[in-house]
Amino acid sequence: MTDQTDDSAQADYVADLPTFAIVDVETTGLDVGRHVVLELAAIIYEPNDVGDYHVFDVVELVPNHHLEVFAHAAPEAMAKNRYYERRVDKRTLRSDLTEDMLISLQGKLSDVTLVGANPAFDARFLDALIADKIPDLYTSEPPWNFRLLDVEALTMGLKKLTHVPGLTECANLWGIPVDPAQAHTALGDAWTTLRVLQACLGHPITPHIAAATR
């Protein structure tokens, strides 16, 4: 009976564990009313049957936009994300593929906990992207959990800082290497955010894999 009780308790514990979606967006600026998502990455990080977390899925997309959105782009934002230097435009999806990938991503984000470095920013822009590209499926209530998890705020508390550190500072504080070539890219920052989350939660750190952060 004890073994069955223990098994039941373990099953209940695992069932209550959250699935995380580490999300990062690179944008044409900071104003969600004028600017758009240039590049988006999401890493689905979930527990297995015994409660050990693993990377379940990685999504990366460069959405299709009309060229006029670039007329409103903030030069400092474009310089920071190196959109032109990295030739991100060469990876732009067709309009139909943009819609298909966002529909798929919307399903993967259902009821998950969104994680980011300032995740409110990423959530606002992701919500706007969904509203713009798949309006027929858009609802005013996003599919993800309304409670967001900020690794910068977590690090501030755990390291007993007097300021909120940026993502690179968080990584440095936890001894996590950051490839400068991957900083301020959606997928590169998403991987760094995941590793900071793992450090905050005491999980094993996913090793750096160059091919996964191209």
Side-chain angles (χ1 to χ4, degrees):
M1 179 65 71
T2 301
D3 288 344
Q4 291 180 340
T5 301
D6 290 345
D7 289 345
S8 177
Q10 174 67 11
D12 290 342
Y13 166 75
V14 172
D16 287 339
L17 290 173
T19 291
F20 298 111
I22 294 84
V23 174
D24 188 84
V25 299
E26 297 300 322
T27 67
T28 56
L30 302 178
D31 184 349
V32 74
R34 299 180 63 245
H35 300 130
V36 299
V37 173
L38 293 172
E39 188 180 27
L40 180 152
I43 301 173
I44 309 300
Y45 185 57
E46 66 177 27
N48 60 19
D49 291 343
V50 296
D52 294 329
Y53 274 84
H54 66 290
V55 173
F56 176 75
D57 198 8
V58 179
V59 177
E60 183 184 19
L61 69 102
V62 178
N64 189 288
H65 293 294
H66 295 295
L67 289 178
E68 54 262 31
V69 304
F70 293 94
H72 303 292
E76 59 274 19
M78 301 302 285
K80 193 170 189 177
N81 62 47
R82 309 184 310 282
Y83 177 83
Y84 295 111
E85 293 86 340
R86 294 190 293 119
R87 306 302 301 272
V88 177
D89 58 305
K90 297 299 182 182
R91 295 188 283 118
T92 301
L93 297 173
R94 299 195 316 259
S95 295
D96 59 327
L97 291 178
T98 296
E99 293 175 8
D100 289 347
M101 286 198 70
L102 282 173
I103 290 170
S104 174
L105 178 61
Q106 191 178 37
K108 293 173 183 178
L109 296 180
S110 179
D111 295 325
V112 307
T113 297
L114 221 63
V115 181
N118 187 13
F121 176 87
D122 301 291
R124 282 197 303 272
F125 271 92
L126 177 55
D127 188 60
L129 180 66
I130 292 171
D132 179 40
K133 300 302 180 184
I134 47 174
D136 291 345
L137 298 178
Y138 177 76
T139 63
S140 58
E141 184 175 334
W144 51 85
N145 190 297
F146 67 93
R147 289 190 175 91
L148 310 178
L149 190 57
D150 189 337
V151 298
E152 295 174 337
L154 273 177
T155 297
M156 177 187 178
L158 290 169
K159 294 295 185 179
K160 296 180 171 57
L161 304 179
T162 57
H163 67 284
V164 181
L167 180 60
T168 298
E169 184 180 356
C170 289
N172 291 337
L173 286 165
W174 290 110
I176 298 167
V178 177
D179 181 353
Q182 297 301 325
H184 303 297
T185 72
L187 191 56
D189 282 355
W191 279 112
T192 299
T193 301
L194 169 64
R195 294 182 181 108
V196 172
L197 174 68
Q198 290 170 328
C200 290
L201 298 180
H203 293 180
I205 306 296
T206 299
H208 176 75
I209 304 171
T213 56
R214 57 183 172 79

